[in-house]
Amino acid sequence: MSKSIVSIINQKGGVGKTTTVVNLATALAEMGKRILVIDLDPQGNATTGLGRSNSEEQKNIYNLLIGRSDPKSTIQKSCVENLDIIGSNVNLSGLEVETANDPKRAFLLKKILEENNDVFSIYENIFIDCPPSLSLLTVMSLVVADELLVPLQTEFFALEGITQLVKTIDRIKIKLNPSLSIRGILLTMFDKRNKLSSQVDSEARKYFKDKVYQTVIPRNVRLSEAPSHGMPCLIYDKNCSGSKSYINLAEEFINQNNQPMGSAA
């Protein structure tokens, strides 16, 4: 089975990265896909959002990256059938300093996935939740990814931030990962009562054209509440507008497989 590694990335915080990782992965798993989430954010929100503890001292991405554990023992089952997770905890925040003398540190995760293909090849998609910065951890996810999914909140300055992100992606393509591409841009926190949301929607589609998903994620209280209950919104309240939008996104995501999105440029 050929797997696709998708990093969910935006250097801004609070744009819906983790919400997207958790709920898109859940929607795909509920459609029968085998999915793995790798939580590469020291905050560990994707970990807790999928029903695992972010204070787990042994089974976490930090121990895997420093060679203290192996992939098979690090992968845990989430609260969703068909959906596994490599969780994170706060120890991960020290990785950049600890690997400062390693010239190949940006390739750590890529090397692990390639050398343990027998473990990872069972998954149809591997989603990586990135921290809200352009740090080593984010670069690591850009190096290993086949494709990127970029959540873009429909608010002022959002497009300005994404222009900077595209420049970073292009630099990574030249130096570290020539096959990297943007799979799609997802508009999040859309408020149809707010004129600005519609303006950002229009500008994004004008600039990025068919890379912008037709599905738009609304501002939704249930999406915000679900993580505090340690579960994806699709389990917390399947009938709310947020859950329905992620189910639509999953269908759109699957249908993309026959239509490669081209380069990031």
Side-chain angles (χ1 to χ4, degrees):
M1 184 188 298
S2 63
K3 65 182 180 297
S4 169
I5 303 170
V6 183
S7 287
I8 285 72
I9 179 172
N10 191 320
Q11 77 272 29
K12 281 192 68 181
V15 300
K17 280 193 299 293
T18 302
T19 301
T20 296
V21 170
V22 166
N23 290 291
L24 174 57
T26 298
L28 290 167
E30 290 190 340
M31 291 172 179
K33 309 284 183 189
R34 287 288 309 266
I35 306 293
L36 175 68
V37 167
I38 298 176
D39 190 349
L40 211 55
D41 186 343
Q43 294 176 90
N45 292 337
T47 305
T48 55
L50 285 168
R52 305 300 310 198
S53 168
N54 64 356
S55 54
E56 163 65 54
E57 283 300 321
Q58 301 302 319
K59 299 177 180 179
N60 58 60
I61 187 66
Y62 171 73
N63 281 347
L64 182 60
L65 290 169
I66 64 168
R68 202 180 283 163
S69 67
D70 65 277
K72 203 169 265 187
S73 65
T74 309
I75 294 169
Q76 302 178 78
K77 291 196 177 303
S78 76
C79 59
V80 181
E81 195 176 347
N82 293 325
L83 175 50
D84 294 340
I85 181 162
I86 296 179
S88 179
N89 70 10
V90 72
N91 291 345
L92 187 60
S93 56
L95 186 76
E96 189 149 1
V97 174
E98 290 169 41
T99 58
N101 297 324
D102 181 356
K104 294 187 174 174
R105 59 188 187 155
F107 291 86
L108 278 173
L109 185 57
K110 183 180 174 74
K111 187 167 181 264
I112 289 166
L113 265 66
E114 285 178 348
E115 289 180 353
N116 297 274
N117 189 52
D118 57 324
V119 176
F120 294 106
S121 61
I122 64 166
Y123 300 105
E124 287 178 67
N125 287 108
I126 297 174
F127 291 103
I128 303 176
D129 190 22
C130 300
S133 63
L134 293 173
S135 62
L136 167 66
L137 293 167
T138 302
V139 171
M140 210 180 268
S141 81
L142 290 170
V143 167
V144 76
D146 302 307
E147 303 170 305
L148 304 175
L149 196 161
V150 183
L152 177 69
Q153 75 192 110
T154 48
E155 291 184 1
F156 201 57
F157 291 137
L159 285 168
E160 199 173 280
I162 207 171
T163 309
Q164 182 191 344
L165 179 62
V166 168
K167 285 177 183 168
T168 302
I169 293 165
D170 285 339
R171 283 200 300 273
I172 296 286
K173 280 183 69 169
I174 293 163
K175 294 183 176 178
L176 301 170
N177 185 357
S179 61
L180 187 64
S181 65
I182 294 180
R183 184 180 180 113
I185 290 165
L186 176 67
L187 299 175
T188 62
M189 303 179 187
F190 188 90
D191 185 348
K192 59 187 176 196
R193 299 163 302 177
N194 184 337
K195 198 174 173 185
L196 183 60
S197 280
S198 299
Q199 285 173 343
V200 173
D201 183 317
S202 171
E203 286 294 311
R205 292 183 195 281
K206 192 161 75 180
Y207 185 67
F208 291 106
K209 302 186 169 57
D210 62 351
K211 286 189 182 175
V212 182
Y213 287 107
Q214 292 304 308
T215 301
V216 171
I217 309 300
R219 277 201 178 277
N220 180 243
V221 174
R222 306 301 262 177
L223 279 176
S224 306
E225 287 173 352
S228 66
H229 296 270
M231 62 179 78
C233 194
L234 272 82
I235 293 175
Y236 179 62
D237 183 354
K238 192 153 195 168
N239 295 315
C240 72
S241 62
S243 291
K244 286 176 179 173
S245 63
Y246 276 109
I247 292 166
N248 291 340
L249 175 65
E251 288 170 357
E252 201 175 339
F253 183 90
I254 289 169
N255 291 335
Q256 272 185 302
N257 281 342
N258 301 321
Q259 304 165 359
M261 295 299 284
S263 75

